[in-house]
Amino acid sequence: MSNSGEPRITSAPIALDDCGMARASDLLGDRWTLLILREAFYGVSRFEDLRADLDAPRAALSGRLDLLVEEGVLEKRPYQEEKSRVRHEYRLSEKGRELALVLIALMQWGDKHLRDDRPPLDIVDAKTREKLTVTLATAKGRVVRLQDVAPVLRKRNS
């Protein structure tokens, strides 16, 4: 037993290549990718606007946008301003919009643990304006406290 009285755990219960968290980290686990997704959730969609707002190097931004399009997280759509060449904007796909809970949870964690002042943004119900928080709930809607959550391995079909 460890000093805390709990048994020592020496490895995760599933392999990295079989873990959804590890796979998502492969795609989303760098600063530029998360910041691009942040911008996309706020509605910033054009390359030059993204580059200026993030102060991102062109090559890094271009590479991450290409990867997010290739993975189906963003959709690349043409647009053309008057007397200009065709350019592209990047919009969240359905797959990308499903990342909202992850990004909101990350934002709320950062607001709670990495700020000394009041956060500048709340996530609210569009109809009632009631403040929302990311939480875990059963399929029937019962909220479960984080300390009452346990990972359980599924049985594999042979």
Side-chain angles (χ1 to χ4, degrees):
M1 295 234 173
S2 69
N3 291 340
S4 67
E6 296 177 12
R8 180 173 169 234
I9 298 171
T10 60
S11 66
I14 57 176
L16 285 172
D17 62 351
D18 202 25
C19 177
M21 186 189 309
R23 288 180 181 186
S25 293
D26 285 344
L27 175 61
L28 307 173
D30 72 82
R31 174 180 166 79
W32 290 122
T33 301
L34 288 173
L35 290 176
I36 289 166
L37 290 171
R38 170 193 176 268
E39 296 292 304
F41 276 101
Y42 289 139
V44 181
S45 62
R46 295 184 177 182
F47 185 92
E48 286 303 323
D49 295 335
L50 289 163
R51 192 189 64 70
D53 205 26
L54 297 174
D55 195 26
R58 285 184 180 279
L61 181 57
S62 181
R64 297 317 189 287
L65 288 169
D66 289 346
L67 177 63
L68 290 168
V69 168
E70 180 182 318
E71 291 292 331
V73 175
L74 294 177
E75 296 172 345
K76 188 174 178 178
R77 299 180 187 167
Y79 74 92
Q80 187 172 18
E81 293 179 344
E82 192 174 324
K83 297 184 182 183
S84 292
R85 66 181 174 89
V86 173
R87 296 176 187 259
H88 293 90
E89 62 181 6
Y90 301 86
R91 299 282 180 175
L92 290 166
S93 65
E94 182 62 31
K95 184 176 179 179
R97 285 188 294 278
E98 288 180 12
L99 284 167
L101 288 176
V102 174
L103 296 177
I104 292 168
L106 193 59
M107 178 190 76
Q108 289 177 346
W109 182 88
D111 287 345
K112 179 178 179 179
H113 296 289
L114 303 176
R115 293 186 67 93
D116 293 330
D117 57 349
R118 185 170 181 254
L121 180 74
D122 286 326
I123 303 297
V124 301
D125 181 306
K127 292 179 185 172
T128 67
R129 312 305 281 178
E130 186 177 6
K131 187 175 174 181
L132 302 172
T133 59
V134 175
T135 189
L136 295 169
T138 66
K140 293 182 180 180
R142 183 177 56 82
V143 173
V144 179
R145 297 177 316 161
L146 192 55
Q147 59 265 34
D148 295 331
V149 172
V152 176
L153 289 173
R154 294 181 184 165
K155 290 186 180 183
R156 295 237 179 212
N157 294 334
S158 303

